[in-house]
Amino acid sequence: MTTVKAYASPSATDDLTATTIERREVGPNDVLIEIKFAGICHSDIHTVRGDWGPQQYPLVPGHEIAGVVTQVGSAVTKHAVGDRVGVGCMVNSCKECANCLKGEEQYCLKGMVGTYGAVDRDGTITQGGYSSHVVVTEDFVVRIPEGLDLDVAAPLLCAGITTYSPLRHWGAGPGKKVAVVGLGGLGHMAVKLAHAMGADVTVLSQSLKKQEDGLRLGADHYYATSDENTFKELAGTFDLIINTVSASIDISSYLQLLALEGALVNVGAPAEPLPVNAFALIGGRRSFAGSMIGGIRETQEMLDFCAEHGIGAEIEVIPAEKINDAYERVLASDVRYRFVIDTATL
């Protein structure tokens, strides 16, 4: 075991504090990564505060990890010392079920292993990226192309792939009208990616206060959902709606914005159920679906796509001592658009 620096949550109600944690020794198939940057995801806050169920504390969150390989196991073939790499929301799976064999490890039938707060195959509780180093099996480490700086690449490991995967799966591209609900950490990536794919992109936000940003990031149109005329004007418009908000919204109203056979895909994960009026689906052969991150192969595809198109996250880099302030600012929607921790400050 190796002791490394970290920031951990001691309980569901306490602030995160500086500490040390133990990482396993590098095994034959493992990669040791010196973490350079770690993104702060809304999921981190939900998890450490127990919104999605009880946790085992102390807990080190963080699943948007960018760094450099400093050691590899004897059987590792995919990565070498000095490689620029990333780790996203999962660090293991069974690798044997039908979904894993299809490259959809996030839907592992035996349960994928989350990067933090999950029980790994060896029975230990995983600890995340708010730390100086992490040991991960090579199959769950991706390459960060040279065209991407590590700080703007870190949020791509969650926010990027979470929005890229449904855009690809539901065919965003030329001739398709895509709406993005919410312009936050996930939403701003959805706008950038959908624009790069060639879709006609609309942002649906509570107000117009981020309109200038939305258009700069690649949106063609921007509407305020607080204006009731928005839902009348845009009825039957979109082929695909990506809902990125982690709060309860009136799903049935948004379903009415879909064209025939359109799909509304939830990637935000509110703690409470989202009721749906069946007639909002039946009326236009519409679909209400969900999507969770992406497999390792697709995550690599996303990173390569972002490098090719010059896409990184819009970030505010912070020192570790500002993590608790950052959590409060995320909850107040006071970030444009992703906090990234400089782990050298641990």
Side-chain angles (χ1 to χ4, degrees):
M1 302 289 278
T2 302
T3 301
V4 303
K5 297 176 183 176
Y7 253 67
S9 175
S11 76
T13 55
D14 290 318
D15 284 350
L16 279 75
T17 55
T19 187
T20 58
I21 58 171
E22 300 296 318
R23 295 294 192 190
R24 70 173 183 262
E25 294 298 329
V26 176
N29 300 108
D30 287 337
V31 174
L32 174 64
I33 301 165
E34 181 184 351
I35 300 172
K36 299 295 187 181
F37 296 97
I40 291 179
C41 177
H42 206 137
S43 301
D44 300 345
I45 303 173
H46 280 305
T47 304
V48 300
R49 297 190 174 182
D51 295 342
W52 292 343
Q55 301 297 320
Q56 186 167 317
Y57 300 96
L59 177 63
V60 178
H63 57 206
E64 296 180 338
I65 298 169
V68 176
V69 175
T70 58
Q71 184 183 344
V72 298
S74 58
V76 169
T77 59
K78 297 178 180 177
H79 308 284
V81 172
D83 284 359
R84 304 162 78 251
V85 295
V87 177
C89 300
M90 55 184 172
V91 291
N92 219 334
S93 73
C94 81
K95 305 179 187 177
E96 298 172 345
C97 71
N99 293 351
C100 284
L101 293 175
K102 283 197 293 189
E104 302 281 9
E105 301 93 345
Q106 75 275 31
Y107 302 124
C108 176
L109 294 173
K110 296 181 181 177
M112 66 88 166
V113 178
T115 304
Y116 63 87
V119 180
D120 207 345
R121 298 296 170 204
D122 62 2
T124 60
I125 302 296
T126 56
Q127 302 288 0
Y130 297 9
S131 57
S132 60
H133 296 77
V134 66
V135 179
V136 181
T137 182
E138 66 169 335
D139 291 337
F140 287 82
V141 177
V142 289
R143 175 183 51 83
I144 295 178
E146 287 298 328
L148 287 172
D149 291 336
L150 292 178
D151 54 356
V152 300
L156 301 180
L157 278 304
C158 175
I161 186 58
T162 294
T163 49
Y164 180 91
S165 187
L167 288 168
R168 272 284 184 249
H169 183 79
W170 276 273
K176 292 295 181 75
K177 292 186 175 181
V178 175
V180 177
V181 183
L183 191 67
L186 290 172
H188 92 284
M189 287 307 311
V191 169
K192 286 189 170 193
L193 291 165
H195 173 74
M197 291 173 184
D200 183 88
V201 184
T202 297
V203 173
L204 301 173
S205 186
Q206 282 184 303
S207 72
L208 298 178
K209 68 179 182 180
K210 297 181 183 177
Q211 181 173 17
E212 188 176 327
D213 272 7
L215 299 176
R216 175 179 60 83
L217 294 169
D220 300 284
H221 320 280
Y222 200 108
Y223 289 85
T225 55
S226 55
D227 182 350
E228 60 185 35
N229 289 324
T230 291
F231 289 91
K232 296 175 184 175
E233 185 178 343
L234 298 179
T237 294
F238 301 108
D239 302 295
L240 175 63
I241 299 174
I242 305 291
N243 176 27
T244 72
V245 300
S246 289
S248 183
I249 64 171
D250 182 1
I251 290 294
S252 296
S253 293
Y254 285 85
L255 287 168
Q256 301 289 355
L257 302 181
L258 290 170
L260 180 66
E261 298 180 347
L264 192 166
V265 183
N266 232 68
V267 294
E272 58 281 340
L274 294 171
V276 176
N277 183 332
F279 289 100
L281 295 170
I282 292 167
R285 202 188 290 147
R286 302 180 180 106
S287 302
F288 178 41
S291 180
M292 183 175 73
I293 55 171
I296 296 300
R297 183 175 60 230
E298 189 174 46
T299 302
Q300 187 64 62
E301 177 188 304
M302 176 274 305
L303 288 169
D304 294 340
F305 179 88
C306 287
E308 178 186 347
H309 292 273
I311 296 172
E314 304 283 308
I315 63 170
E316 182 178 332
V317 178
I318 61 166
E321 72 225 27
K322 297 286 188 182
I323 290 172
N324 294 300
D325 293 339
Y327 273 27
E328 295 308 316
R329 287 180 57 193
V330 169
L331 294 172
S333 299
D334 178 27
V335 55
R336 303 280 178 99
Y337 281 91
R338 203 62 149 187
F339 286 116
V340 172
I341 303 160
D342 178 356
T343 55
T345 62
L346 289 170

